[in-house]
Amino acid sequence: MTTETELRRAIARHGRSLYDRRYAHGSSGNISVRLPEAILPGGMLITPTNSSMGDLDPQRISKVAADGTVVAGDPPSKEAFLHLAMYRVRPTANAVVHLHCTHAVCVSCLADVDPANVLPPITAYYVMRIGRLPLVPYFRPGDKGLAAAVGELAADHHAVLLANHGPVVAGKTLEDAVYNAEELEETARLYLMMEGRRTRWLTAGQIDDLARHFPS
């Protein structure tokens, strides 16, 4: 079993990587990892509030119980409830990444996107890692109503896009969640680059073929 110390170090390592590559800036974004039942049933580790993902101290990362109570570390991100909402409805999720990455945030502000599926199937890798991406209506930062809205969609989608805010992406492991979030951001960038040009998305048949060969 991975130890809590190893999980803390992994969060700091991936946070620094995302920050250095401009997927995160300032004190925006947060990362969490579900803790093994033997350590804290239903609990998680999450980056602290007002912390930079580029300079995380593993020992100060917040340890939070399933009900939101802080067990150890600094006060957690004010968006910790988003992560707990994901874990409650997705039992196979073991990590969640929430970013304010530029291109995905830009797409989240567009008025003419399909709220049931914001980004088209541009590449096979996006389809395999994200699939369908619903848009969550706008809530102010810290509004607990956002947790309920995310929870309603997260049962069927491991990635959602918060309107005028950014993506929340789950994964089976921390690495999986990070790679999923990166794929989403890069696909948003491609989508914006192709705006106004004739485009060719993957067909329904091609998407079905991917599902057969790469079941989730």
Side-chain angles (χ1 to χ4, degrees):
M1 181 183 73
T2 304
T3 68
E4 182 178 330
T5 297
E6 290 170 330
L7 292 174
R8 288 176 176 275
R9 289 174 178 168
I11 289 174
R13 183 174 68 253
H14 282 287
R16 180 60 183 266
S17 175
L18 289 168
Y19 185 88
D20 286 348
R21 291 178 295 129
R22 299 186 64 81
Y23 286 93
H25 56 275
S27 61
S28 70
N30 30 79
I31 301 173
S32 73
V33 173
R34 189 199 296 266
L35 285 166
E37 291 292 302
I39 297 177
L40 182 64
M44 66 177 181
L45 296 174
I46 186 168
T47 49
T49 188
N50 293 322
S51 63
S52 168
M53 291 215 290
D55 188 29
L56 292 170
D57 179 346
Q59 296 308 310
R60 297 180 66 177
I61 288 172
S62 309
K63 185 176 183 179
V64 179
D67 64 357
T69 302
V70 180
V71 176
D74 288 355
S77 164
K78 62 178 175 292
E79 293 169 328
F81 59 90
L82 291 179
H83 298 247
L84 291 172
M86 271 278 190
Y87 292 133
R88 278 194 290 269
V89 298
R90 299 199 67 83
T92 62
N94 288 302
V96 173
V97 175
H98 169 46
L99 300 173
H100 298 179
C101 41
T102 303
H103 300 91
V105 172
C106 181
V107 170
S108 81
C109 299
L110 297 178
D112 56 353
V113 295
D114 178 2
N117 190 21
V118 180
L119 288 173
I122 297 175
T123 68
Y125 298 97
Y126 175 76
V127 171
M128 289 187 290
R129 285 208 165 269
I130 300 298
R132 297 180 66 83
L133 179 68
L135 184 70
V136 179
Y138 174 78
F139 289 81
R140 64 168 171 76
D143 188 333
K144 296 299 178 64
L146 183 54
V150 168
E152 288 180 8
L153 293 170
D156 297 316
H157 305 277
H158 68 277
V160 299
L161 186 62
L162 311 182
N164 301 77
H165 191 157
V168 181
V169 186
K172 296 176 182 177
T173 64
L174 177 55
E175 288 78 10
D176 187 42
V178 169
Y179 298 159
N180 290 344
E182 291 177 352
E183 191 68 40
L184 192 159
E185 167 65 359
E186 290 306 303
T187 302
R189 184 167 72 95
L190 288 173
Y191 177 70
L192 294 168
M193 289 173 64
M194 293 186 289
E195 189 174 15
R197 306 187 67 172
R198 294 182 62 194
T199 52
R200 182 181 60 251
W201 314 134
L202 296 184
T203 66
Q206 290 168 332
I207 293 171
D208 290 342
D209 179 64
L210 288 170
R212 287 193 298 271
H213 285 84
F214 303 97
S216 58

